[in-house]
Amino acid sequence: NAGVTQTPKFRVLKTGQSMTLLCAQDMNHEYMYWYRQDPGMGLRLIHYSVGEGTTAKGEVPDGYNVSRLKKQNFLLGLESAAPSQTSVYFCASSQRPGTPWGYEQYFGPGTRLTVT
Amino acid sequence: AQKITQTQPGMFVQEKEAVTLDCTYDTSDPSYGLFWYKQPSSGEMIFLIYQGSYDQQNATEGRYSLNFQKARKSANLVISASQLGDSAMYFCAMREGLDSSYKLIFGSGTRLLVRP
């Protein structure tokens, strides 16, 4: 049981390049989230998904796109990277709230992205 | 307005002593949950403790307890018998029941350093 995994762990991009971050969970969780963490700050929500085939915007969605084609995977895309997107990206998942243990979000190890 | 406020950017505590990390929150939602996460230097987010707004008793998990004062809108984390391994960033977070995303809203964190 690996929990939540993220690929890659580190990445350096040049301005204007694109990339996709992969999040995978093996806990059969309904909800999945992408957060970013900037230095000295807490995590902020980029996009989230409440089930396979659904996505929605969070607090800071500009410059990112997401897809949830399979229940266990949640992809975060940067179409044209900018230095302002230099951050640590965390994926998280949870059971549907209201179910037993539905309150806790399980986090992946993070992806450190630098855009030069 | 800030929904989660952590006023202590950094704290020191002597090993084996207790320490309180402050967290205040702002919500008009009667149903909400409060969380504390630990982020060691390795970067992962570790769930510590959860308090629901309707819970009558303060949550406890081993050496962690949450001092929940609903009227004052505070949810302070108390760590008893501090250990060197407790040195980390600590984040308070809130989830609001009326928010269908059930996202977590994070504070800016408190860096705790345990002195030997």
Side-chain angles (χ1 to χ4, degrees), chain A residues 31 33 35 37 40-43 45 48 90 97 102-105 107, chain B residues 35 37 39 43 45 47 50 91 95 100-104 106-108:
Chain A
Y31 283 57
Y33 305 84
Y35 294 90
Q37 183 181 28
M41 298 180 67
L43 280 66
L45 184 69
Y48 67 98
F90 286 96
Y103 57 85
E104 182 180 346
Q105 283 191 15
F107 283 82
Chain B
F35 302 76
Y37 281 85
Q39 187 177 44
M45 298 291 287
F47 167 73
Y50 165 81
F91 291 97
R95 187 185 71 203
S100 61
S101 75
Y102 294 101
K103 67 177 179 290
L104 292 176
F106 285 84
S108 56

Side-chain angles (χ1 to χ4, degrees), chain B residues 12-114:
Chain B
F12 290 97
V13 65
Q14 206 64 32
E15 193 179 7
K16 297 179 185 165
E17 291 185 349
V19 63
T20 298
L21 306 183
D22 294 341
C23 173
T24 58
Y25 60 92
D26 183 27
T27 182
S28 56
D29 190 338
S31 175
Y32 54 90
L34 297 157
F35 302 76
W36 278 92
Y37 281 85
K38 172 183 179 181
Q39 187 177 44
S41 58
S42 52
E44 71 268 33
M45 298 291 287
I46 301 169
F47 167 73
L48 295 179
I49 197 166
Y50 165 81
Q51 179 86 42
S53 59
Y54 296 117
D55 293 343
Q56 295 295 312
Q57 293 190 323
N58 287 346
T60 60
E61 289 287 347
R63 294 186 298 110
Y64 304 107
S65 60
L66 201 152
N67 184 0
F68 181 45
Q69 297 188 44
K70 198 169 182 176
R72 297 179 63 181
K73 294 190 174 179
S74 75
N76 298 340
L77 177 70
V78 180
I79 306 175
S80 63
S82 297
Q83 301 172 355
L84 295 178
D86 293 335
S87 293
M89 281 290 288
Y90 288 82
F91 291 97
C92 179
M94 176 175 65
R95 187 185 71 203
E96 295 172 302
L98 290 178
D99 182 347
S100 61
S101 75
Y102 294 101
K103 67 177 179 290
L104 292 176
I105 303 166
F106 285 84
S108 56
T110 296
R111 183 172 298 281
L112 177 67
L113 186 59
V114 180

Side-chain angles (χ1 to χ4, degrees), chain A residues 54-68:
Chain A
T54 73
T55 62
K57 294 180 180 179
E59 182 186 354
V60 287
D62 294 343
Y64 305 95
N65 56 75
V66 287
S67 64
R68 183 113 180 256

Side-chain angles (χ1 to χ4, degrees), chain A residues 29-55:
Chain A
H29 284 171
E30 298 282 345
Y31 283 57
M32 296 187 75
Y33 305 84
W34 276 107
Y35 294 90
R36 61 177 287 175
Q37 183 181 28
D38 299 312
M41 298 180 67
L43 280 66
R44 292 181 294 166
L45 184 69
I46 305 171
H47 285 280
Y48 67 98
S49 168
V50 301
E52 182 178 324
T54 73
T55 62

